[in-house]
Amino acid sequence: MAKRKTDTEAFKKPGSTNKFIAFLTNETVHFVLGLALVIFAVYLLLAFSSFFFTGAGDQSILEADPQKLSSVNNGVRNYAGSRGAQLASYLIDRCFGLASFFLLIFFAVVGLKLMRVRAFRLWKWFICCSLLLVWFSIFFGFAFVDYYQDSFFRWGGGHGEFISAWLESQVGTPGVWMILLGTAICFFIYISTQTIIWLRKLLSLSFIKRRKKEEAGLSTDKPFVREPVVSRPEVQPMPDDGMKIEFQPTETEEAPEMEPEEEVEFEPEFNIEAATDDDENYQGPEREPYNPKLDLENYHFPVLDLMKRYDNNEPTINMDEQNANKNRIINTLRSFGIEISSIKATVGPTVTLYEITPEQGVRISKIRGLEDDIALSLSALGIRIIAPIPGKGTIGIEVPNSNPKVVSMHSIINSRKFQESTFDLPIAFGKTITNEVFMVDLCKMPHVLVAGATGQGKSVGLNAIITSLLYKKHPAELKFVLVDPKKVEFSIYSVIENHFLAKLPDGKEAIITDVTKVIQTLNSICMEMDSRYDLLKKAHVRNVKEYNNKFISRKLNPERGHKFMPYIVVIIDEFGDLIMTAGKEIELPIARIAQLARAIGIHMVIATQRPTTNIITGTIKANFPARVAFRVSAMMDSRTILDRPGANQLIGRGDMLFLQGADPVRVQCAFVDTPEVEEITKYIARQQSYPVAFHLPEYVNPDAGSDPGDVDMGRLDPLFEEAARLIVIHQQGSTSLIQRKFSIGYNRAGRIMDQLEKAGIVGPSEGSKTRQVMCMDETDLEMLLNNLQ
């Protein structure tokens, strides 16, 4: 036995190849190599820059006596010495000419990437620098061939001069220019798809048509349009919606005999509503499909290098342990008169599943009652008996491994199942007993209840949920509402506020910690839910996925309030504390969201460390069909979460049961540490973001309304009339609409809304509902504004 143990240790001992790989992947080695590349790039920059001033004199020395370069008094005047002069002469004159500077850029980028100073996508930089290196070499060699005949170096280098001369001999001078132009256009299309839209506008001569229209003035058959300000520059406002027609006063004076009823027939609002009333028949301009990611088109998803690798994340089979457990199980069952015909073991990262097939005539309930006796014989905690295993004619006995393995988040994110997942909101929890990656789609769940005692992995599980979504979704597609009564669990995500977080318009911090703000935020989400359902009704669709597809296809008019809807995931860390503090004020909006919000892309994840019946009420359980249970101390708590025992038999440290449907699945939750999450959020925060966080609708407590009598109408806001027209056109009295359209702060938008209420343009606040618009059309509004003046 001692010899066998030695052999096993020798087999596990890493060889020279493993040591070499470990050396290459060492962070210190990466930093040193990166530093060397950056220094080398700076050295080449010095050599290249000096070459333009000293190259003519150094060239004769380089060509006459290369052996002399090794001596001290070699006569080379290049600032980078003789070797720098050689490199500059070779790369600039003989290779790529002036385009050789792109080599320096790529060396510097690789160095900074290895040093982890900046996060770059090396493949994209390599492709771009290589293409630019070759293109500019040929361009300088072809376009300026007559200008450097008397120069000591070739502007395009030997490469550019040869390739351009060969191309010219094959396709002629015009053909070379066409090749250069075509490849340049393809390069810009690779950099940004916006190039295609710009080229289409250029080729359609739309700018000439627009100039002709401006010179001709207003058309006789098309009324004057005053376009409202929109928040997204790529959404084109439609010219036939919300327009204002101005008639000449002479026409009205020439027909004094017309009855008022006849005048109503020619009001401009009647014509506008008739043209755009049906969203189902709307078709936007013939352009590229709307791209919600265009505002952050250069956004890069987090890379795998940000997460930690663990050496012992792969399960190993200890045959001595397996055989010992097998024999103990057989002997324990035999001692109670139970014989089995077969036994099979499936080794997982932390738990091994033993599948036994009892002899005929053995009652399952008899085996199920021996749970404590089997645990005693195995000297192990966390024994769980599954009798029978669903879909199989066997009984399962789950036994913890003596040497559990760490399931790293890196291994889960890097798995083929996660990378090729087509889920709308993929969540990777960890690995099952069969060592398979366990993933679910939050859109189909659609809400999750997470519970577990303190220190059993609940917070790590929430981080795993957020991390999975950050690695798969673009900021334009997903927003988080994070509620953290503890004030420390989610604070690490505050740096990605403008990328991924949603908050109230007047919220100072996106991470919600105050109970009052939690109530306001949940009610605001209910308003967002109602607003989205109204838009789905207008668009004649049933869910947010169909709606967004229709909006992307430009079949919905943005000027009628339609917009791209990102998914909103609400995560509440300590639900029990909120219930104890606010009670029904918290429970009611959560229940309403859970009942209705699935179709419009709003999903909830609530977690608690006190899974008692007064915290997880029947209303909450009925609307949260997906449950995640970490280890709890009592069987009653397990029944509260899962409606069955089992969570009290887990071993802790991320060991969890996932229930969605009939039978729970045992999963080892992936481990993602706080430093890893910090690196991921910093990687995202360094990139371009939206100007502000995603703003939820404003919520005004109906019991704390402001008094419009305090508003000074003698000092109206400069945007008062503009905001009034916007409200009347949209028939929606919302402060957030004013704030979004005019890009102003919440306080100023609120003062404008108070002035509109005082002027009689909108009604008083009605709590979670938008204010009623008192003016039916712009004609009524103009009359009211004239009276104010």
Side-chain angles (χ1 to χ4, degrees), residues 205-262:
L205 304 179
S206 59
F207 62 95
I208 298 179
K209 297 176 183 178
R210 190 181 301 113
R211 181 174 298 177
K212 287 182 178 180
K213 288 183 179 180
E214 292 175 355
E215 293 175 355
L218 292 175
S219 175
T220 56
D221 60 345
K222 192 166 185 179
F224 170 74
V225 180
R226 186 191 176 281
E227 297 182 352
V229 181
V230 294
S231 58
R232 285 188 178 272
E234 69 275 11
V235 177
Q236 297 293 334
M238 298 308 299
D240 294 330
D241 188 24
M243 63 180 64
K244 175 185 175 183
I245 298 179
E246 297 182 359
F247 294 99
Q248 298 294 332
T250 56
E251 297 178 0
T252 307
E253 294 172 1
E254 292 176 0
E257 67 276 5
M258 289 183 65
E259 296 296 329
E261 290 78 10
E262 296 178 351

Side-chain angles (χ1 to χ4, degrees), residues 418-449:
F418 183 84
Q419 294 293 332
E420 298 179 358
S421 170
T422 57
F423 290 164
D424 293 321
L425 289 177
I427 294 178
F429 276 112
K431 290 186 178 181
T432 62
I433 291 179
T434 57
N435 214 40
E436 297 178 355
V437 174
F438 183 77
M439 287 184 60
V440 292
D441 188 356
L442 183 58
C443 287
K444 297 179 180 179
M445 295 166 69
H447 311 289
V448 189
L449 173 63

